Amino acid sequence: MTFQTHDARILEVKELTSREKLFTLRFVDPEVNRSFKYKPGQFVIVDIRGFGEFPISLCSTPTREGYFQLCVRRVGRMTKYMHTLKEGDIVGIRGPYGNGFPMEKMEGSTLVLVAGGLGMAPLRSVLWYALDTGKYEKIYLFYGTKAYEDILFRDEVIHLLKHGEDMNCHVKLAYEVETPSCIYLEKGYSPRVCKGVVTDLFRGETFDVENTYALICGPPVMYKYVIKELLDRKLSPGRIYMTLERRMRCGVGKCGHCIVGTSTSIKYVCKDGPVFTYWDALSTRGLI
Amino acid sequence: MRYVKLPQENFEEFFNSLKKWGKVYAPVKKGNIYSFQHVEKPSEIAFDYTRTMLPPKKFFVRPKDEMLRLKGGKWEESDGVEPIVLFGVHSCDIHGLEILDKVYLDEPVDPYYKKRRENSIIIGMSCMPDEYCFCKSLGTDFAMHGFDLFLHELPDGWLVRVGSVKGHEIAWENEELFEELTEEDMRNFREFEEKRANSFKKHLNKEGLEDMLDLAFNSPVWKKYEKICLGCGNCNMVCPTCRCYEVCDLWMNAYEAVRVRRYDSCFMESHGLVAGGHNFRPTRLDRFRHRYYCKSYFDPSAGFNCVGCGRCDEFCPAKIEHVKVLDEVREGLQ
Ligand SMILES: Cc1cc2nc3c(=O)[nH]c(=O)nc-3n(C[C@H](O)[C@H](O)[C@H](O)COP(=O)(O)OP(=O)(O)OC[C@H]3O[C@@H](n4cnc5c(N)ncnc54)[C@H](O)[C@@H]3O)c2cc1C
Ligand code: SF4
Ligand code: SF4
Ligand code: FES
C-alpha cells in the first residue's frame, strides 16, 4: 500500500557531529531488501510509528548493496527521537522517492559536487557512486562547512584530501570558524583547504564546459551564489543540477506541500524533483 | 450517451431504489447553508440549492481522515468503506472531482481515495447560476463524464443522461420508471440550458490567464489584497480542487495510535515551513499569490485548477472576489 512502510532494522549508529548521526539500515524482509533499488539523489520517508514521518536523503550508494544509510540532523521533534534510537531498533521506511541525479547520462564527464553543510549527505551518494563505478572523468568536491567539528563524514573527506588525487578526485574544503584543527588542515592542504565560504573554492578553477556537470546541494541561500560562479565559467544551465528541500508530507505528489512555481509551471519537488536543472529554476519561479 | 426521461411521479420510487446502492447523501438546507447530508426521503433534499459549503470532496478526501492504526507496533489499514450515493452533484463539482482524480489516482494511487471513489455513485443534477458562479467561463458548466446519471430538470420530471456502466445498471433495474424522450422534452431541455447559459453574471477572462499571471508576479494588486485578506484559509477548505493535507500521529490510549491526515491550507504559515525555521513562503503576500497561481495553473490534460463554483467568494469573510482579483491583476498589466 502506498503509505505503508516496511520495517528496517538499524544495524549501526555512528555519531558524525554533535548534531548529525549516520544510521545504517537494512530491511527486515529479505525480499524487500533485494528489491530496494535507488539512485543517488533520491530520498526515503522515515516512519517513527506513533510520532510521524519525515523525508531523508539516501546518503549511501546503490553500488553497495544489502544496506542503506541516512544522515540525520537533530533539529526537532522527530529527528530528536530518531537520535535516541540504537542498534537493533526498528523504523519504518517507504520509498525511494524523487527523480535522483542522472548518473548514467553524466558518465564520462567531470562532476563538480558543491556541498554546503548538510548538503553533503545526498552528494556523498553521488561521490561514492562515482568512485565505485569509475565511470567519470574527474570528480571535484567543493565542500563548505561552518567549523571543523561540523564536517560531515570527516574521515572520508580527510582521506580524500590525502589520497583523492590518485582516484581523480579533487577535494576542496572551506570553513568559516577558525579552530586549531582547521588551521592544521589548512597547513597540510593549502590552498585546497581555506577559510571562507564555498564559493571561495571556485577561485582559480576553470572547467571544460563541454564535458562538465555541476551538482549542488546546500542551504537555500547558497544556490544563487554557487550558480553565479558556474555561469561565470560558462557552464550551461542544463549542466547544473541541484537538489532542493521543501516541506514534505507524502513524498508522492498528493499532499501539496512541496508545490512550487506559478500559473505557467507548477512542479512538485517530491516527484518532479528533488533534483532540478538550472533551466527548471529559470522557468519555475520560487524553485530557488 | 443514453438519454431517458424520469417523470416526476416516478421520482420517489427512483430515489428509494438508490438506497440499495449505498447510503444516499444529498444537498440539505440548514439555516442559510447547504451541505451534503444523509437523506431518507426526497422531501429533505434542497433541489434548488446553489452550492454546498464543503464540496463533495469531503467524502473522498475527508476533513479529518484516519489512514492507519498502530496495533502491537504494526500499522494496520483503517476500516473499510461504505458504499455511498451522492445525489444532486452540480456540474462544476463533477469537474472538481475529476481534477482530484487526476491527483489521487495518478501513480502511486492513493488507496483511501480510490476505494471511496469506487464505492460511490455520482448522480448529477442541473442548476441555475447565482451571482457567484463563473463555471461557464471555464467550460465546467456542463459535464460530459464523471457521473453515473445526470438529471436535468424538465417541467414535468427529469431528462436523465446515463454516463457510466453503473448508471446503465441503475437505469436497467428501474426500467419501468423511465420513458423515452419526446420532442417536447428535448425542447424543454434546450430551453433550460439556454436560459441557464444566459443567467451567468460573472465572467472570468481566461485568455492567456496563466501567462498574464506569471508576468504579474510583482503586481501591486497582490500587495493590496495582502492587506485585506485575513489569512484564514476558508477559501482553501471550501474549494473543490484544493486538497493539501497535513499528517500527524495521535495516541488513542497507551497501546493504540492512529495516523491521521487533515486539510491543510497554503494560507497557514506552517505550510512552507521546514526544519530550522526556514519558510519558503514567509509572508501573507507570498501565500495569497501562491493560491492564485495554483488555482490558475493550466494542466493540458485537466484544464484549470479552478472550476468556477464561487465558493471561495461566498465564504470569504473579507469578501475577496476571485474573478475581481484576477481582473485587477490583468488591468494592472495593461
Ligand atoms: C527531500 C528531502 C531530503 C532531506 N534529507 C535530509 C537528510 O539527508 N538529513 C537530514 O537531517 N534532513 C534531511 N531533510 C530534512 C528533514 O526532513 C527535516 O529535518 C525533518 O523533517 C525535521 O523533522 P523534525 O520533526 O525533527 O523537525 P521540527 O523542526 O520539529 O519540524 C517541525 C515540523 O515541520 C516538519 N518539517 C520540518 N522540516 C521538514 C521537511 N523538510 N520536510 C517535511 N517536514 C518537515 C516536521 O515534520 C514537523 O512536523 C530532508 C528534507 C527533504 C525534503
Ligand atoms: S478557486 Fe474558488 S471558484 Fe475556483 S473552484 Fe476553488 S472555490 Fe470554486
Ligand atoms: S477566505 Fe478570504 S480572507 Fe480567508 S484566506 Fe481566503 S482570501 Fe483570505
Ligand atoms: S510531498 Fe506531498 S506533494 Fe510533494
Side-chain angles (χ1 to χ4, degrees), chain B residues 2 14 17-18 20-21 118 121 123 147-149 161-178:
Chain B
R2 183 177 176 213
F14 165 75
S17 78
L18 293 176
K20 97 167 235 254
W21 295 86
E118 284 171 352
I121 284 174
I123 302 196
F147 56 83
D148 298 293
L149 296 176
R161 287 189 293 143
V162 183
S164 73
V165 171
K166 259 194 217 162
H168 275 296
E169 285 175 32
I170 299 172
W172 190 265
E173 291 195 5
N174 294 303
E175 204 58 35
E176 72 289 353
L177 301 178
F178 296 103

Side-chain angles (χ1 to χ4, degrees), chain A residues 269-287:
Chain A
V269 174
C270 66
K271 62 170 196 182
D272 299 320
V275 175
F276 292 96
T277 67
Y278 187 55
W279 284 135
D280 295 320
L282 286 175
S283 54
T284 313
R285 231 188 270 259
L287 203 59

